[in-house]
Amino acid sequence: MKTIAEMAKMFGVSTRTIRYYEEIGLLEPERTENNQRLYSSAELAKLKLIFRGKRYGFSLDEIKEMVLLFNKDRTGRRQLERTIEYGERRLSEIEAKINELQEMKIEMEQLLVDFKEKYDQLDRN
């Protein structure tokens, strides 16, 4: 069991961030008699999934759905199905962004060639 301060330090976030995830129902820490939050290894695993999901660009609503589906279906099947669905959609978005950036790179390279030619012409005049 870990305290909220230990969890925050482990993940390099503020305790407020972890409390927010609790407020929106992503985490369910146990409480001591003094009302101190204690996080189990299961909550630690959820937090790892939350941060992985954020890193890959999933919304908190999507992350919440994926994390909480395991509680409804202990086989993990529904969670995997939804994760695959969201993952495929996110991958498609990433591929579109890569294509957009590649097109932008080609355009920028051509503009630089044009600008350099114009600059060289100014030197000749």
Side-chain angles (χ1 to χ4, degrees):
M1 301 294 274
K2 298 204 179 297
T3 65
I4 192 168
E6 292 169 326
M7 294 285 277
K9 185 176 181 181
M10 184 183 300
F11 289 96
V13 297
S14 69
T15 56
R16 176 69 191 113
T17 297
I18 295 173
R19 283 193 300 274
Y20 175 70
Y21 293 149
E22 180 184 350
E23 288 171 21
I24 64 171
L26 281 168
L27 298 173
E28 296 176 29
E30 295 179 23
R31 299 281 184 151
T32 66
E33 291 176 8
N34 297 331
N35 208 28
Q36 181 183 26
R37 293 169 173 88
L38 291 177
Y39 295 87
S40 66
S41 58
E43 295 304 299
L44 175 69
K46 283 182 190 177
L47 202 51
K48 284 180 184 177
L49 289 173
I50 292 166
F51 287 118
R52 183 181 297 154
K54 286 181 54 85
R55 180 172 167 244
Y56 292 133
F58 293 110
S59 72
L60 277 179
D61 287 337
E62 291 168 333
I63 293 168
K64 182 176 181 179
E65 183 179 3
M66 289 184 283
V67 167
L68 297 181
L69 271 173
F70 187 74
N71 294 339
K72 295 178 183 175
D73 174 16
R74 288 293 188 179
T75 67
R77 183 180 186 85
R78 290 182 64 204
Q79 183 186 42
L80 286 171
E81 287 171 349
R82 187 55 48 106
T83 301
I84 290 167
E85 176 188 330
Y86 285 151
E88 287 175 341
R89 184 172 68 215
R90 183 68 184 127
L91 190 56
S92 177
E93 292 168 357
I94 290 169
E95 287 173 351
K97 187 67 174 174
I98 288 170
N99 290 336
E100 179 183 332
L101 289 170
Q102 286 174 332
E103 289 175 13
M104 188 184 309
K105 179 181 179 265
I106 291 167
E107 290 174 18
M108 182 66 92
E109 288 171 340
Q110 186 57 53
L111 278 173
L112 284 172
V113 167
D114 294 345
F115 292 156
K116 286 176 184 179
E117 286 175 4
K118 286 180 182 179
Y119 183 81
D120 289 344
Q121 286 176 2
L122 289 174
D123 278 350
R124 286 185 225 139
N125 294 330

